[in-house]
């Protein structure tokens, strides 16, 4: 696994640079997206596809690059003791609108399997609080994420 991580960094990042910081932001965002799919221990194919779609759209990555980032994000999330290391990076680098877009992506992943577990709902509330998303905006993002399901 470490060689895969090192290879990813070698291919996409030069030694300490703004690109490395950008990669850390991408990794933090991907980790939050991945956590929604895995939080209830029942990661479905629909949720995994939603994570892949969100990562590719958010960062403009090819499928193999997105898969490598997702794999790295999964490893980071397994090692993490909490979400603060990810949300603090997002808070430092993203605007309120960008953070709201992440919350909406997370809601879309949570609803990808047409079911919202108690674990997913709890995670979403926790991340929404850590990203300082106003409650009204949080609920509006949730409603927008549900719309394709209701059509």
């Amino acid at each position: 696994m470490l060689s895969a991580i090192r290879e990813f960094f070698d291919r996409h990042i030069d030694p300490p640079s703004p690109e490395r910081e950008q990669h850390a932001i991408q990794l933090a965002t991907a980790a939050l997206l991945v956590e929604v799919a895995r939080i209830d221990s029942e990661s479905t194919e629909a949720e995994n596809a939603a994570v892949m779609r969100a990562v590719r759209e958010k960062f403009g990555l090819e499928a193999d690059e997105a898969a490598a980032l997702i794999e790295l994000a999964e490893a980071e999330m397994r090692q993490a003791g909490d979400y603060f290391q990810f949300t603090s990076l997002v808070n430092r680098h993203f605007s309120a609108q960008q953070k709201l877009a992440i919350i909406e992506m997370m809601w879309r992943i949570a609803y990808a399997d047409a079911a919202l577990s108690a674990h997913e709902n709890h995670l979403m509330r926790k991340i929404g609080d850590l990203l300082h998303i106003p409650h009204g905006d949080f609920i509006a993002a949730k409603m927008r994420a549900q719309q394709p399901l209701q059509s």
Side-chain angles (χ1 to χ4, degrees):
M1 180 65 178
L2 289 177
S3 64
I5 293 169
R6 198 171 297 117
E7 180 183 324
F8 184 85
F9 277 108
D10 290 344
R11 280 188 315 185
H12 300 287
I13 310 298
D14 291 331
S17 65
E19 289 83 20
R20 180 163 247 149
E21 182 75 9
Q22 183 63 28
H23 177 71
I25 295 164
Q26 289 178 350
L27 182 58
T29 304
L32 294 174
L33 298 172
V34 162
E35 184 65 0
V36 177
R38 69 179 216 106
I39 191 70
D40 61 4
S41 302
E42 296 178 17
S43 183
T44 67
E45 187 61 37
E47 288 172 325
N48 293 334
V51 170
M52 175 63 82
R53 186 172 41 258
V55 168
R56 289 189 69 192
E57 288 174 8
K58 175 73 177 155
F59 303 117
L61 300 175
E62 296 296 325
D64 60 333
E65 295 170 323
L69 181 58
I70 289 168
E71 185 177 325
L72 190 54
E74 289 170 343
E76 285 291 320
M77 196 50 80
R78 281 191 297 272
Q79 301 282 337
D82 61 24
Y83 304 120
F84 183 76
Q85 68 188 36
F86 307 111
T87 59
S88 63
L89 194 57
V90 169
N91 280 327
R92 280 195 310 270
H93 294 280
F94 286 170
S95 69
Q97 197 62 30
Q98 290 169 314
K99 292 188 294 184
L100 187 58
I102 291 169
I103 287 293
E104 189 170 332
M105 282 186 252
M106 291 176 72
W107 276 122
R108 289 188 191 286
I109 293 164
Y111 282 116
D113 61 358
L116 181 67
S117 75
H119 294 292
E120 290 168 331
N121 193 50
H122 177 75
L123 173 69
M124 291 303 301
R125 289 184 184 277
K126 183 175 197 84
I127 300 302
D129 287 344
L130 288 169
L131 293 179
H132 313 292
I133 304 293
H135 186 68
D137 292 342
F138 179 81
I139 296 301
K142 180 180 182 179
M143 300 315 243
R144 285 190 303 273
Q146 285 178 308
Q147 285 176 351
L149 298 174
Q150 296 171 352
S151 300

